[in-house]
Amino acid sequence: IFTVVKVDGASMQPTLQHNDRLIVWRLGYKPDNGDIIVLHQEGKLPYIKRIIAVEGQTVDINFVTHKVYVDGVELEENYIKEPTMRSGDVKFPVTVDEGCVFVLGDNRNDSRDSRFSDVGMVKEEDVLGKTILRFFPFSEIKTY
């Protein structure tokens, strides 16, 4: 039904911090834009990212203005650490493949995510679930 995950690294700052503990909902989860998810791609350790777009949506990132667009609409990203300046080897705009999601870390300039072909589009079957609660540290308990 759910699993407990420990955050490892800084790619989701400021939303999540290294060593935070999360409860991740698994049962019947269907990926949706904005969800903070845990992924597990074959041969890699599980990691945490935010869904920016789902299958059929088009993502464009302007690395000059530092803006992210989904289907031509600029995202209001009050959760990111700093403007998106770091590009990867994926060319934009890109349309999300069927059965996949496009993910980015909230710490865009210190995140390996769908901007890089070694991560790329993430298959929905590789999504373990959605973060629903940060329960540790106790002073930072929060639902998502």
Side-chain angles (χ1 to χ4, degrees):
I1 296 174
F2 68 90
T3 191
V4 175
V5 174
K6 177 181 167 186
V7 176
D8 183 21
S11 72
M12 284 300 292
Q13 290 179 349
T15 308
L16 300 172
Q17 305 299 316
H18 180 67
N19 288 328
D20 282 358
R21 303 304 197 285
L22 311 172
I23 293 179
V24 176
W25 185 261
R26 298 181 71 170
L27 185 64
Y29 172 67
K30 176 78 173 149
D32 196 15
N33 296 47
D35 289 350
I36 299 171
I37 59 170
V38 176
L39 316 168
H40 188 256
Q41 293 177 311
E42 189 173 331
K44 299 178 184 176
L45 294 172
Y47 54 103
I48 302 166
K49 300 295 176 199
R50 184 181 299 270
I51 296 177
I52 298 302
V54 296
E55 69 176 53
Q57 293 185 307
T58 300
V59 178
D60 197 7
I61 302 177
N62 184 319
F63 295 101
V64 175
T65 63
H66 317 293
K67 303 294 182 187
V68 177
Y69 300 86
V70 174
D71 293 336
V73 177
E74 180 184 337
L75 295 184
E76 192 170 313
E77 298 186 293
N78 56 356
Y79 46 79
I80 63 174
K81 183 173 183 178
E82 56 193 7
T84 307
M85 295 182 274
R86 183 177 178 211
S87 63
D89 60 345
V90 170
K91 303 294 181 216
F92 291 93
V94 63
T95 300
V96 181
D97 296 335
E98 183 177 343
C100 294
V101 295
F102 183 96
V103 298
L104 294 174
D106 289 358
N107 185 359
R108 298 287 165 76
N109 302 311
D110 188 17
S111 176
R112 195 119 190 123
D113 46 40
S114 291
R115 293 172 290 174
F116 300 89
S117 58
D118 63 328
V119 175
M121 303 291 169
V122 176
K123 295 177 187 172
E124 287 185 14
E125 64 197 44
D126 293 337
V127 176
L128 296 180
K130 172 188 175 180
T131 299
I132 59 170
L133 175 72
R134 174 178 51 208
F135 68 91
F136 184 85
F138 300 123
S139 62
E140 299 291 327
I141 292 174
K142 182 177 179 179
T143 58
Y144 295 97

